[in-house]
Amino acid sequence: MIVAIDGPAGSGKSTVARMTAHKLGFLYIDTGAMYRAVTFKALEKKVDLSDEAQLVELARDSDIRLVGGHDGALTVYLDGRDVSKEIREPVITRYVSDIAKVKGVREAMVLLQRRMGRDNNAVLEGRDITTVVFPNAEKKFYIDADFAERARRRHKELLEAGKDITLKEVEDDLRNRDHIDSSRKVAPLKKAADAQVIDTTRMTIDQVVNTLLTEIKDTAH
């Protein structure tokens, strides 16, 4: 079974997808982490971010593996190296949407995502999972929350990770990412017509996870 989850940055979909996959014993595929890994590699190698041909070549040549732990945590390996912490740095967040909108980069990552999900029960989350990557997924969800709550959550997450960043900086970054994600020409963020929309603004993570689990188990039966 493929469970596909889309939604904007800060909606809580990564945490929800990870916990849902863990409870079901499914493979968790964090597609955003894959784009972050490519972004990290591009910055580390000082690739010209305006050179799409270089970015596409880099994405195609990258060995990205996602490994779930017993506690539900995800380890991201890039060319055999654990980059799980590095890809969460604010500088990666600043550039990832620009790199993720490059057509050839998305094509390379979508191929990898389909390969990962094809032979497994999997939960995938991202921006185009229900519309592009797995449009025939058995279960589709669109997880959202209002802007102020998404910014608050992201700011809290970054502070807890030891980042020195203001709420205003998070809000500015979120607005920029929302604009890029929803307006890009290739696979923009949008709600699939048959996706179940869940507004998490006033829900706890556990409430959201339980909602998904109930829906998924109803379908499985």
Side-chain angles (χ1 to χ4, degrees):
M1 173 185 275
I2 295 292
V3 178
I5 302 174
D6 285 327
S11 59
K13 66 183 182 302
S14 295
T15 303
V16 167
R18 184 175 65 250
M19 290 176 64
T20 300
H22 182 57
K23 286 180 180 293
L24 291 170
F26 284 15
L27 175 66
Y28 167 48
I29 302 176
D30 178 354
T31 64
M34 297 167 72
Y35 290 104
R36 283 175 173 272
V38 173
T39 304
F40 172 76
K41 187 172 179 177
L43 292 174
E44 189 175 57
K45 290 186 172 296
K46 295 183 168 53
V47 171
D48 179 354
L49 301 189
S50 65
D51 188 333
E52 293 194 359
Q54 272 198 68
L55 291 172
V56 172
E57 183 179 354
L58 180 141
R60 287 175 178 165
D61 290 343
S62 296
D63 175 27
I64 300 171
R65 289 188 302 118
L66 308 176
V67 179
H70 295 301
D71 59 353
L74 187 74
T75 303
V76 182
Y77 291 97
L78 171 65
D79 301 327
R81 171 183 166 198
D82 181 355
V83 295
S84 308
K85 290 182 179 178
E86 289 88 342
I87 65 170
R88 301 299 173 184
E89 292 291 332
V91 66
I92 306 300
T93 302
R94 194 174 308 138
Y95 292 108
V96 65
S97 290
D98 290 315
I99 290 176
K101 72 181 181 182
V102 176
K103 184 173 184 285
V105 171
R106 294 202 76 82
E107 288 172 347
M109 292 300 104
V110 168
L111 280 175
L112 192 52
Q113 290 154 17
R114 285 176 177 160
R115 198 176 305 139
M116 288 178 180
R118 193 176 297 132
D119 301 321
N120 297 279
N121 287 317
V123 178
L124 295 90
E125 58 91 358
R127 304 288 194 280
D128 61 347
I129 311 304
T130 62
T131 55
V132 175
V133 184
F134 282 105
N136 297 317
E138 288 90 337
K139 287 305 299 184
K140 296 181 180 181
F141 299 98
Y142 187 92
I143 294 184
D144 207 351
D146 66 36
F147 181 83
E149 177 62 14
R150 289 194 289 124
R152 187 196 68 77
R153 288 175 184 170
R154 180 53 55 87
H155 185 230
K156 180 173 180 283
E157 179 183 293
L158 290 169
L159 290 180
E160 288 174 350
K163 309 294 184 245
D164 182 17
I165 190 167
T166 67
L167 179 60
K168 172 71 164 51
E169 288 171 323
V170 173
E171 289 173 342
D172 290 347
D173 176 67
L174 212 52
R175 284 193 189 92
N176 181 55
R177 292 185 69 190
D178 282 353
H179 174 71
I180 293 172
D181 290 342
S182 60
S183 64
R184 66 180 177 226
K185 293 178 181 177
V186 182
L189 168 67
K190 60 182 180 182
K191 299 183 186 77
D194 55 346
Q196 180 177 344
V197 178
I198 301 176
D199 184 341
T200 69
T201 304
R202 292 171 182 81
M203 296 174 74
T204 65
I205 291 294
D206 285 340
Q207 286 173 331
V208 181
V209 171
N210 287 334
T211 298
L212 264 64
L213 289 173
T214 299
E215 291 291 331
I216 293 164
K217 287 173 181 175
D218 284 350
T219 299
H221 295 145

